[in-house]
Amino acid sequence: MIRFEHVTKRYADGTTAVDDLSFHVAEGELVTLVGPSGCGKTTTMKMVNRLIEPTSGRILLDGEDITAVDPVRLRRRIGYVIQQVGLFPHRTVLDNTATVCHLLGWPRKKARARAAELLDLVGLDPAVHGGRYPEQLSGGQRQRVGVARALAADPPVLLMDEPFGAVDPVVRERLQNEFLRLQSQVRKTVLFVTHDIEEAVRLGDRIAVYGEGRIAQFDAPTVVLGAP
Ligand code: ADP
Ligand code: ADP
């Protein structure tokens, strides 16, 4: 589903953030990218939806070189969730969730029905939380809205960059469990960035362990943990 072929990213100041990276993520697989800060995880992620262009190498999505795909069409196929989910402060939770559907020109009623369905899926009550504004939600709830919004147009691919990094450990564990349950229903192809090895192990079908712009190890959690 997602294939990196000898991808290198060198920033203008000469920093090589990602160095000759090749890997493959299968359809419906959840891969966690784990490693210390500054080792190239976010750069890897942002190259998939073309927020960053590789210096060399290529990235294929479903067998198609992403540079050949119209950027709007590309982002329609990719949901994106980041740590500080940027919700529109003056729009309700329901409208925030329906953003992509509105952009795609769905009829208003259909967009709102889809948003309500998604809020329910991430554990929020559309009747209770849908009419609130982002500032009226807890941090954990805002992240759930971010996940719901990313899923609204039913993209096959989900990019998640430390989505649960800013909430306290108890809430984080609950969000992780909810996300695993959600993933068992929706089966997206997921790249999930974290610097927390426990989170990587709990969520990943496979784990890409980063070091200095490269993947040092790419295996199932049991193998990474060195289980017999
Ligand atoms: P991670 O997500 O693992 O923390 P990043 O992909 O954000 O790592 O960064 C990898 C390396 O690239 C770091 O050394 C970082 O300082 C550098 N870097 C990231 N963005 C830029 C940029 N826009 N310009 C120059 N260097 C950058
Ligand atoms: P979560 O576990 O989802 O992060 P919290 O423990 O932070 O939730 O919040 C618990 C409850 O308090 C939630 O039901 C939420 O609706 C409510 N709440 C939190 N912050 C606010 C706020 N700023 N305004 C209104 N209600 C809030």
Side-chain angles (χ1 to χ4, degrees):
M1 188 64 168
I2 303 171
R3 186 179 292 277
F4 274 61
E5 290 181 349
H6 301 289
V7 174
T8 293
K9 175 62 190 181
R10 201 168 294 114
Y11 285 107
D13 66 357
T15 306
T16 301
V18 168
D19 189 10
D20 193 26
L21 201 61
S22 296
F23 67 91
H24 171 247
V25 182
E27 187 171 346
E29 189 179 26
L30 197 169
V31 168
T32 47
L33 313 184
V34 68
S37 184
C39 63
K41 306 183 298 297
T42 294
T43 301
T44 301
M45 187 82 111
K46 286 184 172 172
M47 286 192 289
V48 178
N49 60 3
R50 299 189 67 192
L51 290 176
I52 294 175
E53 297 291 337
T55 309
S56 60
R58 60 177 198 157
I59 301 166
L60 307 179
L61 193 65
D62 233 353
E64 196 176 7
D65 189 327
I66 58 170
T67 57
V69 184
D70 167 64
V72 175
R73 236 189 80 220
L74 182 72
R75 283 178 203 155
R76 200 176 294 175
R77 283 159 65 181
I78 301 173
Y80 187 45
V81 187
I82 56 176
Q83 183 166 327
Q84 297 291 346
V85 165
L87 300 176
F88 298 111
H90 304 298
R91 289 191 198 160
T92 64
V93 165
L94 195 74
D95 274 337
N96 266 285
T97 307
T99 303
V100 180
C101 303
H102 293 320
L103 286 176
L104 293 177
W106 290 23
R108 199 172 160 73
K109 210 172 159 185
K110 185 180 164 200
R112 293 173 71 85
R114 174 66 178 157
E117 182 188 343
L118 261 307
L119 288 176
D120 187 51
L121 201 60
V122 298
L124 296 174
D125 183 345
V128 175
H129 304 105
R132 290 192 187 166
Y133 289 88
E135 65 169 16
Q136 296 172 305
L137 300 182
S138 69
Q141 290 173 331
R142 276 199 289 269
Q143 290 309 110
R144 284 185 212 135
V145 176
V147 175
R149 182 177 60 177
L151 289 172
D154 202 19
V157 174
L158 205 50
L159 304 179
M160 306 187 73
D161 197 343
E162 304 240 14
F164 312 142
V167 294
D168 70 64
V170 176
V171 175
R172 186 180 316 150
E173 191 172 328
R174 203 163 68 221
L175 291 175
Q176 288 168 353
N177 291 334
E178 286 173 7
F179 182 65
L180 281 176
R181 186 176 44 77
L182 179 69
Q183 170 65 359
S184 73
Q185 296 174 41
V186 298
R187 274 287 153 216
K188 301 296 177 187
T189 303
V190 186
L191 279 183
F192 190 111
V193 165
T194 178
H195 61 260
D196 174 4
I197 183 73
E198 279 182 35
E199 181 166 71
V201 165
R202 174 171 296 161
L203 298 182
D205 296 316
R206 284 192 299 159
I207 304 176
V209 182
Y210 271 66
E212 297 283 309
R214 292 171 173 274
I215 295 178
Q217 191 180 9
F218 194 5
D219 270 310
T222 47
V223 179
V224 171
L225 289 175

